[in-house]
Amino acid sequence: MSIVRRSNVFDPFADLWADPFDTFRSIVPAISGGSSETAAFANARMDWKETPEAHVFKADLPGVKKEEVKVEVEDGNVLVVSGERTKEKEDKNDKWHRVERSSGKFVRRFRLPEDAKVEEVKAGLENGVLTVTVPKAEVKKPEVKAIQISG
């Protein structure tokens, strides 16, 4: 295990944007006894953006088929994205020089806000990018009623 930071000679601020948990993520698989191949894909990274109409989640899942991914809503407001990238079959006669692509199971959970329409969630997998769209309920503007002042 190596705890060497990747740095760019031309960018003196490159380390300022480093993920402070990278070192922890590399240590956890070693402690839990999991293989580094499986652990590398265990925490699929996802983006979550909010638009005026919906919450949009995106994950890069290259090499994963849609049959290998599950998108669910648990407990009424928890979005769960899980799946598995299967390991390539090995032939006894193959000689591997480098293995950098990861495989294994992954799961991500997100607690959705109250305005999420969980019954209308849509998901699609195109060109290795999973997109999950959770529409937002329209926020009712409070009705203002003018009260006439007597006197």
Side-chain angles (χ1 to χ4, degrees):
M1 177 176 67
S2 172
I3 307 179
V4 177
R5 286 235 185 256
R6 289 176 226 104
S7 64
N8 185 340
V9 176
F10 303 107
D11 184 4
F13 303 106
D15 283 341
L16 292 177
W17 307 113
D19 184 354
F21 299 105
D22 266 349
T23 303
F24 179 72
R25 285 189 188 101
S26 66
I27 293 171
V28 171
I31 294 171
S32 63
S35 74
S36 60
E37 285 178 40
T38 307
F41 195 58
N43 195 11
R45 295 181 180 202
M46 293 186 68
D47 296 336
W48 175 2
K49 75 175 177 179
E50 182 176 354
T51 68
E53 300 82 29
H55 296 275
V56 181
F57 298 84
K58 289 193 176 198
D60 291 334
L61 302 175
V64 178
K65 300 174 189 133
K66 72 177 189 176
E67 296 82 19
E68 298 172 324
V69 179
K70 282 184 7 182
V71 177
E72 303 169 310
V73 176
E74 289 180 347
D75 301 326
N77 69 339
V78 178
L79 177 69
V80 181
V81 178
S82 61
E84 182 173 6
R85 179 182 295 150
T86 55
K87 192 174 180 182
E88 192 171 316
K89 293 181 182 177
E90 294 183 25
D91 189 342
K92 292 180 182 179
N93 298 325
D94 291 345
K95 179 180 177 184
W96 291 86
H97 293 279
R98 183 174 301 271
V99 177
E100 294 182 342
R101 295 182 306 141
S102 56
S103 62
K105 295 181 180 185
F106 64 92
V107 63
R108 294 299 308 271
R109 288 181 168 78
F110 299 93
R111 184 166 309 282
L112 296 170
E114 291 181 21
D115 65 351
K117 290 182 172 180
V118 294
E119 61 281 345
E120 296 178 25
V121 175
K122 292 181 181 160
L125 184 63
E126 189 174 331
N127 296 327
V129 178
L130 174 70
T131 303
V132 180
T133 305
V134 183
K136 292 167 60 176
E138 291 182 31
V139 179
K140 278 190 172 181
K141 294 182 181 178
E143 193 174 308
V144 179
K145 181 180 176 184
I147 308 296
Q148 190 174 10
I149 301 173
S150 61

